[in-house]
Amino acid sequence: QIRVRVLGFIFDALLVAAVENHCGFSKGAGGGRSVHECFFFSIITVYGVAYALYGKGLLDRANNDPTYDGPLQPSSESYQKQAQLYLTGNITINGLACLFIPFAWTLTFRGTEWWERVQTLHPNQAAFMGLSLLVATIGDVSGNLLLRLKELDLVKSQPSIVVVGILSNFWLLLFPEILFNSIYNSGISEVGFYWE
């Protein structure tokens, strides 16, 4: 359990660093990033989903498959529910982080010229993408904060941590959409800008 928690914190730190350092959203920024950076960001993000899916399967086998002879020992039903809930939260939150992979690769291969053209066609796109990235980073860090509060016994309910984590990440994902679509009638593109 400690190893999984440490790996989770390392993943979160690497994800936040990769996202924050990968893309510039101001006019003229965004080109010249290496394929290595984009590959690193993508691998970290997909690993967050794959590791949690693997963990769910492994936990299920350790407790329900009599032929299982792996590293996990059978555990109590309450621990299984708690661990499965945490892993479901990881899959959901890291799955949301995967939404940034197409933008990172498009920016890497199409570069500054493309990004400047997108901002000319959609004047509020840079602010929209920047806000989306900011709230995604806040959502990622909020998951760590919730775990810290639980470790300090300031939050008593295990399920509430996961539910609040998932809901806050969905809310933070929708916040830029609501804000920009209510303030601006135009000036942003959801997915069409990838082909412009």
Side-chain angles (χ1 to χ4, degrees), residues 90-112:
N90 276 329
I91 291 166
T92 304
I93 291 168
N94 293 320
L96 292 174
C98 288
L99 295 174
F100 289 94
I101 292 175
F103 178 74
W105 280 103
T106 305
L107 187 61
T108 296
F109 283 108
R110 298 190 72 184
T112 303

Side-chain angles (χ1 to χ4, degrees), residues 2-194:
I2 292 172
R3 184 186 305 164
V4 170
R5 190 174 297 167
V6 168
L7 284 172
F9 288 137
I10 290 170
F11 166 75
D12 286 341
L14 289 172
L15 176 61
V16 170
V19 170
E20 286 177 341
N21 293 325
H22 183 78
C23 302
F25 293 105
S26 61
K27 188 86 171 171
R33 296 295 180 177
S34 73
V35 173
H36 296 94
E37 288 178 61
C38 200
F39 180 75
F40 179 66
F41 165 69
S42 301
I43 290 296
I44 291 170
T45 308
V46 172
Y47 171 80
V49 177
Y51 188 78
L53 285 169
Y54 171 73
K56 281 180 76 72
L58 194 62
L59 187 64
D60 186 56
R61 282 191 61 211
N63 290 285
N64 299 317
D65 184 356
T67 63
Y68 174 77
D69 188 28
L72 289 183
Q73 298 297 317
S75 51
S76 68
E77 189 174 335
S78 63
Y79 175 80
Q80 290 177 53
K81 286 181 180 177
Q82 175 187 340
Q84 291 284 7
L85 195 60
Y86 272 133
L87 291 166
T88 299
N90 276 329
I91 291 166
T92 304
I93 291 168
N94 293 320
L96 292 174
C98 288
L99 295 174
F100 289 94
I101 292 175
F103 178 74
W105 280 103
T106 305
L107 187 61
T108 296
F109 283 108
R110 298 190 72 184
T112 303
E113 193 176 303
W114 166 76
W115 186 230
E116 287 182 349
R117 185 170 60 253
V118 166
Q119 291 177 79
T120 301
L121 294 169
H122 309 286
N124 300 312
Q125 192 71 25
F128 174 69
M129 294 300 292
L131 182 60
S132 298
L133 183 62
L134 174 65
V135 296
T137 304
I138 292 169
D140 186 61
V141 172
S142 71
N144 283 335
L145 176 63
L146 289 168
L147 287 174
R148 297 271 195 248
L149 292 175
K150 174 65 177 100
E151 288 172 357
L152 296 170
D153 283 334
L154 297 173
V155 177
K156 302 295 182 188
S157 169
Q158 294 291 132
S160 68
I161 291 174
V162 177
V163 171
V164 168
I166 291 172
L167 290 177
S168 67
N169 273 271
F170 270 108
W171 164 245
L172 289 169
L173 180 70
L174 293 174
F175 176 73
E177 302 281 342
I178 295 167
L179 181 69
F180 274 82
N181 285 312
S182 60
I183 294 176
Y184 304 106
N185 292 327
S186 62
I188 62 169
S189 171
E190 297 292 341
V191 293
F193 71 97
Y194 286 117

